[in-house]
Amino acid sequence: MTRYISKQHHPAVRTIVKQIPLIGCLVIAVFSVWLSKMPVQAEAVTSPKTCQLGVYLTSLRDFNPAEKSFAANFWVWSICPFETLKPLESLKVINNREVSRDYTSFSRSENQSDTFKANKNVFWSEQEISTTLYHNWDTKNYPFDRHKLEISLEEAKLDASNFVHVPDFTNSDYQHNIDVEGWEITNFKVSQVNFPYRTSFGSPRIKKEANSRSRLVVSITINRQSKVSFFKLAIGVYAAVALSIMTLLLDQDFGDRMGIFVGTLFAVLVNMQAATSDLGSTNSVTLIDFIHIIAIIYIFITAIMLVYTRFLSESEQDSRYLMRSFAVPILSGSFVVLNIVVIAYAAIVG
């Protein structure tokens, strides 16, 4: 075909056609050089090393909303394919106030499980940890509140591009006879996340925008079962409101009855401070706060009604019928209904 083209066309065309084999060789050479560089760039992309980690919770205690903390005891173990991997030595308990490691063991074991099937032997280690952890208790709907407590265990030395945890879903659990007084454990879950950090911690080996650490997160959902503490906090409030409303039925001196209002109002305010101290301060209005606020409003309303009866008595008008037939039933009934509504709402929302 080349001979045909060279005979039929201009001499310049025949010259270009004769150069086609040389041009083809140059293109092939350039393409070969480009391919030779590809493996060098791909060598940086490697899979992170991994070990299987599991957790067994043995104790939950010292729930302290005022101090925003709770305590836990648990066992954590690792199964690794290589002896050089020892994740329990670099495991950090996140958001801890104090932590102690009471027992640690390490051994080489024959692999009779489905973990790392290609390995005849694996390296197993376990550790017992006791810790007090920070938790922001949301007591807005106390005593119908539900909480998700979290224990986060993070790899402190290697970033997620070099090492990640694999949860041991089969063996991770909690001790089902744990005595959590006044509470019930409704859910237990173990998961793994890569937690991002917007810093390289100054390491020249880590890219700031790609730095993350592997975390094993244990989530425990608990529901409050006991309502005794709520009864203790609320009974004083209800007694104060009842006493203030009952003063409208009395025929005693105005000054004596007004003294009762002052006492009941003071009792409610003191009780409100005690409840805040027990449950911890919060930026939102809790159920127990709302009950106290309602009580204060009703005490002020009854005080206004008392002042009104004083004006009626000074004008020689009988106020007993008005108070006993209208004021007392309306105040008592509306206070009870309003409390039922807000308590029912809190119980539903939880």
Side-chain angles (χ1 to χ4, degrees):
M1 182 176 179
T2 303
R3 292 179 182 177
Y4 173 77
I5 293 174
S6 62
K7 288 179 181 180
Q8 299 296 327
H9 294 81
H10 192 273
V13 176
R14 292 199 300 269
T15 302
I16 293 174
V17 171
K18 290 180 180 180
Q19 299 300 323
I20 288 177
L22 179 60
I23 294 173
C25 292
L26 290 173
V27 171
I28 293 173
V30 171
F31 185 70
S32 299
V33 171
W34 180 72
L35 286 178
S36 66
K37 294 182 179 293
M38 289 288 289
V40 175
Q41 296 176 354
E43 285 179 359
V45 181
T46 57
S47 298
K49 297 180 178 63
T50 185
C51 289
Q52 188 178 65
L53 262 72
V55 172
Y56 188 79
L57 183 69
T58 58
S59 174
L60 273 178
R61 64 188 189 283
D62 299 340
F63 295 168
N64 194 334
E67 295 293 331
K68 299 185 183 297
S69 65
F70 72 96
N73 284 42
F74 57 92
W75 287 90
V76 58
W77 62 87
S78 68
I79 302 174
C80 299
F82 307 110
E83 187 175 5
T84 54
L85 297 176
K86 297 180 180 180
L88 298 191
E89 294 183 0
S90 56
L91 199 65
K92 178 182 178 182
V93 182
I94 303 298
N95 289 334
N96 77 84
R97 293 193 167 185
E98 59 178 316
V99 60
S100 63
R101 303 169 189 265
D102 302 321
Y103 175 82
T104 303
S105 65
F106 178 83
S107 63
R108 175 177 175 175
S109 305
E110 183 181 354
N111 190 10
Q112 298 180 356
S113 67
D114 295 332
T115 306
F116 306 114
K117 292 182 179 181
N119 293 56
K120 181 179 179 181
N121 296 302
V122 291
F123 298 88
W124 172 81
S125 59
E126 66 174 348
Q127 190 173 87
E128 185 180 16
I129 297 178
S130 175
T131 182
T132 300
L133 296 164
Y134 171 83
H135 177 72
N136 188 18
W137 296 86
D138 182 5
T139 55
K140 182 172 63 176
N141 294 312
Y142 166 88
F144 307 101
D145 45 333
R146 296 183 282 269
H147 302 273
K148 185 169 76 169
L149 309 178
E150 286 193 351
I151 304 172
S152 297
L153 309 174
E154 182 177 280
E155 168 59 36
K157 291 184 178 179
L158 301 176
D159 60 74
S161 63
N162 294 307
F163 180 85
V164 293
H165 301 112
V166 175
D168 186 351
F169 296 109
T170 303
N171 297 295
S172 295
D173 203 350
Y174 68 95
Q175 193 165 308
H176 288 261
N177 62 350
I178 291 179
D179 182 16
V180 188
E181 185 177 357
W183 296 85
E184 177 188 13
I185 298 176
T186 59
N187 190 34
F188 179 91
K189 184 176 70 173
V190 178
S191 59
Q192 186 275 337
V193 296
N194 290 336
F195 186 83
Y197 286 96
R198 300 184 63 181
T199 177
S200 64
F201 302 104
S203 173
R205 300 184 297 106
I206 302 175
K207 292 183 179 180
K208 178 179 177 180
E209 62 275 8
N211 185 27
S212 60
R213 301 290 175 90
S214 178
R215 280 188 183 182
L216 190 74
V217 180
V218 182
S219 302
I220 311 109
T221 303
I222 58 173
N223 290 357
R224 191 188 298 269
Q225 295 295 302
S226 176
K227 307 297 186 291
V228 175
S229 58
F230 173 77
F231 177 78
K232 291 179 179 179
L233 290 174
I235 188 64
V237 180
Y238 294 142
V241 174
L243 185 60
S244 64
I245 294 176
M246 287 172 61
T247 57
L248 298 177
L249 302 174
L250 302 177
D251 295 327
Q252 295 177 350
D253 182 71
F254 175 80
D256 293 337
R257 290 193 287 175
M258 187 57 71
I260 295 176
F261 280 107
V262 174
T264 56
L265 181 60
F266 179 76
V268 171
L269 292 174
V270 171
N271 196 78
M272 187 174 183
Q273 291 184 348
T276 301
S277 177
D278 290 344
L279 301 178
S281 61
T282 176
N283 293 326
S284 60
V285 178
T286 66
L287 171 63
I288 198 72
D289 289 336
F290 197 67
I291 290 174
H292 280 80
I293 292 171
I294 294 173
I296 292 171
I297 292 173
Y298 269 75
I299 290 174
F300 270 110
I301 292 174
T302 52
I304 293 171
M305 297 297 297
L306 180 62
V307 173
Y308 179 65
T309 61
R310 175 65 180 268
F311 286 125
L312 291 178
S313 63
E314 289 179 350
S315 61
E316 297 182 354
Q317 297 183 42
D318 189 7
S319 62
R320 289 178 295 180
Y321 177 76
L322 177 63
M323 294 297 106
R324 295 176 182 179
S325 300
F326 294 97
V328 171
I330 291 174
L331 287 173
S332 302
S334 61
F335 182 77
V336 171
V337 171
L338 188 56
N339 273 266
I340 292 174
V341 170
V342 296
I343 291 174
Y345 176 78
I348 293 171
V349 175

